[in-house]
């Protein structure tokens, strides 16, 4: 995975600053050549160095005082707070040539001046804190710090990282409320805070920001999911394994994004699955398992033409499983175990019999093995729950969903 991020970093740098005749060289001799340029000092080239596990290749000319001196001060301030470095990464963080530091990547701007373009210390197992001095790295595009032991909070000065596009702080020991400073980083498109100890509510502004990927799973966030969830343009949203409660926001039905994956599993969500879920024609993964969702499964799920993983297990859903759901063309894994479904049609029967990727166990389906005991099926949870349903003819016309849903919401909200 590290090589993929290096390639992405190289692409970002080339896209931003490198003329066609320039070249880029990554780490210890693994390079991508474009045109007739060379390494730093070789005429319009770019040098990217310092990958963990690589032998850094220093530039042929000395570091620029104007940009790299500030980076040197910032990185040394950060180094002084690191209390454990079992892999010896920071032993290379000596001297003013920060481009030779492991985990630090440099590039050349249009004036042939080097600057710090990225930091990748993934899996370095460092113990320490994040320091405000890092905000002087205003040209940095990528900051990857996953799988370390950083604790404390995210410094408020990080809002000054004006070029930062990817922030990965996952699998650390960070805590406190949601780091709202991340919402003020102007060019951020990838935010990964998973596997930490952040807590409290998630701010609405998170879903107004132009992020393409939002990973908040495996923290201790709580409260309701903000009602403007549907405003997010993200292609991936992972809120799993937290303590979110309340309903899935109705705005989820109106998102204009090309959402491909949403994971809400293992929270404390209640109410219905929104009828508008069928609007996501490009959705590939929809996982709301291990919650307390009730009511019937909306027929509009059959409009998820690209869905591959549909996990509804461990809820309190009831009624019959719609035939069209079981005939979705891209479906690889359908899991509805531990609910209160009372039956399914012929297409679902075929899946039940022949494919291990489809789990219907522990429901209330007559004549099937591995179902709930009859006493548990005598009282269906949420039987009195009123879920919004779109009155549609048969067959269901997926392309007309948005208009039908808007009209239905308007009529139900009228006095």
């Amino acid at each position: 995975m590290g090589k993929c991020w290096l390639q992405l970093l190289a692409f970002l740098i080339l896209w931003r600053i490198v003329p066609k005749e320039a070249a880029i060289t990554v780490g210890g001799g693994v390079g991508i050549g474009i045109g007739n340029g060379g390494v730093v000092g070789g005429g319009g080239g770019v040098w990217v160095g310092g990958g963990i596990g690589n032998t850094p290749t220093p530039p042929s000319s000395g570091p620029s005082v104007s940009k790299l001196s500030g980076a040197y001060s910032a990185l040394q301030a950060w180094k002084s707070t690191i209390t454990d470095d079992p892999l010896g990464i920071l032993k290379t963080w000596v001297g003013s040539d920060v481009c030779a530091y492991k985990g630090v990547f440099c590039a050349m701007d249009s004036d042939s001046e080097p600057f710090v373009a990225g930091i990748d210390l993934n899996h370095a197992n460092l113990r320490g804190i994040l320091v405000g001095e890092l905000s002087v790295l205003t040209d940095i595009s990528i900051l990857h710090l996953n799988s370390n032991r950083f604790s404390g909070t995210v410094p408020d000065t990080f809002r000054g990282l004006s070029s930062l596009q990817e922030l990965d702080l996952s699998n650390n020991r960070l805590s406190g409320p949601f780091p709202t400073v991340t919402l003020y980083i102007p060019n951020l498109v990838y935010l990964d805070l998973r596997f930490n100890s952040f807590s409290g509510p998630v701010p609405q502004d998170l879903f107004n920001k132009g992020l393409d990927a939002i990973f908040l799973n495996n923290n201790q966030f709580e409260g309701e999911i903000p009602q403007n969830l549907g405003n997010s343009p993200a292609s991936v949203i992972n809120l799993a394994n937290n303590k979110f409660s309340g309903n899935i926001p109705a705005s989820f039905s109106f998102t204009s994004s090309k959402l491909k994956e949403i994971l809400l599993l293992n929270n404390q969500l209640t109410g219905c699955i929104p009828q508008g879920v069928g609007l996501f024609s490009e959705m590939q993964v929809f996982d709301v398992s291990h919650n307390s969702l009730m009511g019937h499964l909306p027929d509009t799920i059959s409009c998820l033409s690209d869905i591959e993983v549909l996990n509804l297990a461990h809820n309190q859903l009831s009624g019959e499983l719609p035939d069209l759901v079981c005939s979705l063309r891209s479906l690889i894994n359908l899991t509805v175990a531990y609910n209160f479904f009372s039956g399914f049609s012929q297409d679902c029967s075929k899946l039940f019999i022949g494919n291990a990727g489809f789990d219907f166990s522990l429901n209330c389906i007559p004549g099937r093995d591995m179902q709930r005991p009859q006493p548990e099926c005598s009282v269906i949870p949420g039987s009195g729950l009123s879920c919004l349903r779109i009155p549609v003819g048969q067959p269901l016309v997926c392309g007309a969903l948005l208009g039908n849903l808007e009209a239905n919401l308007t009529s139900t909200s009228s006095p």
Side-chain angles (χ1 to χ4, degrees):
M1 184 173 181
K3 292 182 179 179
C4 294
W5 288 122
L6 289 179
Q7 293 172 353
L8 176 58
L9 174 60
F11 171 78
L12 288 172
I13 294 170
L14 287 168
W15 177 75
R16 285 181 55 204
I17 59 174
V18 184
K20 292 182 179 179
E21 57 273 8
I24 180 167
T25 300
V26 182
V30 181
I32 303 173
I34 299 179
N36 298 315
V39 183
V40 167
V46 174
W47 175 78
V48 181
I52 295 177
N54 294 330
T55 302
T57 305
S60 58
S61 60
S64 168
V65 174
S66 59
K67 283 200 173 185
L68 295 188
S69 60
Y72 169 77
S73 299
L75 294 174
Q76 289 299 316
W78 191 20
K79 177 183 176 181
S80 70
T81 68
I82 304 299
T83 58
D84 191 25
D85 176 19
L87 301 181
I89 302 299
L90 302 186
K91 289 180 180 179
T92 67
W93 287 30
V94 177
S96 60
D97 185 5
V98 298
C99 297
Y101 293 3
K102 282 188 177 180
V104 177
F105 300 87
C106 292
M108 298 282 284
D109 65 16
S110 57
D111 296 322
S112 298
E113 185 176 0
F115 63 90
V116 174
I119 295 177
D120 186 345
L121 293 172
N122 287 349
H123 303 281
N125 200 22
L126 299 171
R127 181 174 65 201
I129 61 173
L130 305 177
V131 297
E133 286 88 342
L134 292 175
S135 63
V136 305
L137 304 176
T138 55
D139 293 308
I140 195 171
S141 297
I142 293 177
L143 181 57
H144 288 172
L145 303 177
N146 83 54
S147 302
N148 285 282
R149 290 173 286 158
F150 292 116
S151 58
T153 59
V154 181
D156 190 60
T157 56
F158 272 31
R159 69 181 63 208
L161 298 174
S162 55
S163 298
L164 189 64
Q165 296 183 35
E166 298 186 11
L167 178 62
D168 184 353
L169 303 177
S170 62
N171 197 22
N172 278 284
R173 301 176 181 178
L174 300 168
S175 59
F178 180 91
T180 55
V181 61
T182 59
L183 305 181
Y184 297 98
I185 301 175
N187 291 301
L188 195 66
V189 294
Y190 179 97
L191 177 63
D192 194 343
L193 303 178
R194 56 188 156 176
F195 292 97
N196 279 287
S197 296
F198 292 113
S199 58
V202 170
Q204 287 193 3
D205 286 345
L206 172 65
F207 300 113
N208 290 331
K209 189 170 177 61
L211 294 169
D212 181 64
I214 301 172
F215 294 98
L216 304 187
N217 52 293
N218 296 83
N219 279 280
Q220 299 175 29
F221 292 118
E222 58 187 358
E224 294 190 358
I225 298 174
Q227 292 300 307
N228 65 333
L229 171 66
N231 291 356
S232 176
S235 61
V236 179
I237 299 176
N238 193 338
L239 307 181
N241 301 313
N242 282 287
K243 300 177 182 178
F244 290 113
S245 57
N247 297 343
I248 299 175
S251 68
F252 176 67
S253 304
F254 293 103
T255 178
S256 59
S257 74
K258 300 297 183 182
L259 189 63
K260 294 184 181 296
E261 298 184 16
I262 185 161
L263 296 95
L264 305 176
L265 63 145
N266 200 25
N267 281 286
Q268 300 165 14
L269 300 174
T270 56
C272 308
I273 295 177
Q275 182 80 356
V277 67
L279 294 172
F280 299 105
S281 59
E282 297 184 15
M283 180 94 71
Q284 296 174 352
V285 177
F286 182 68
D287 192 337
V288 293
S289 61
H290 292 272
N291 282 287
S292 297
L293 299 171
M294 299 181 181
H296 291 190
L297 194 62
D299 291 341
T300 55
I301 283 187
S302 63
C303 294
L304 299 176
S305 56
D306 288 344
I307 196 75
E308 297 177 1
V309 176
L310 180 58
N311 193 344
L312 311 173
H314 290 270
N315 279 287
Q316 300 176 35
L317 300 167
S318 57
E320 288 200 3
L321 195 63
D323 179 56
L324 292 174
V325 172
C326 296
S327 60
L328 287 166
R329 63 187 182 189
S330 301
L331 196 60
I332 297 173
N333 189 303
L334 171 62
T335 305
V336 297
Y338 289 89
N339 279 287
F340 290 85
F341 288 111
S342 56
F344 46 64
S345 59
Q346 184 175 356
D347 281 347
C348 296
S349 297
K350 294 176 183 177
L351 300 177
F352 184 87
I353 294 171
N355 197 317
F358 298 85
D359 187 355
F360 299 87
S361 60
L362 290 165
N363 279 278
C364 298
I365 303 172
R368 300 292 182 180
D369 295 332
M370 299 181 65
Q371 298 298 298
R372 291 180 181 273
Q374 183 56 39
E376 292 185 15
C377 297
S378 59
V379 179
I380 304 299
S383 57
L385 185 66
S386 177
C387 296
L388 173 65
R389 289 289 175 259
I390 303 174
V392 295
Q394 294 294 331
L396 181 66
V397 180
C398 295
L401 273 181
L402 181 58
N404 288 338
L405 182 57
E406 290 176 336
N408 209 272
L409 283 176
T410 300
S411 63
T412 55
S413 61
S414 299

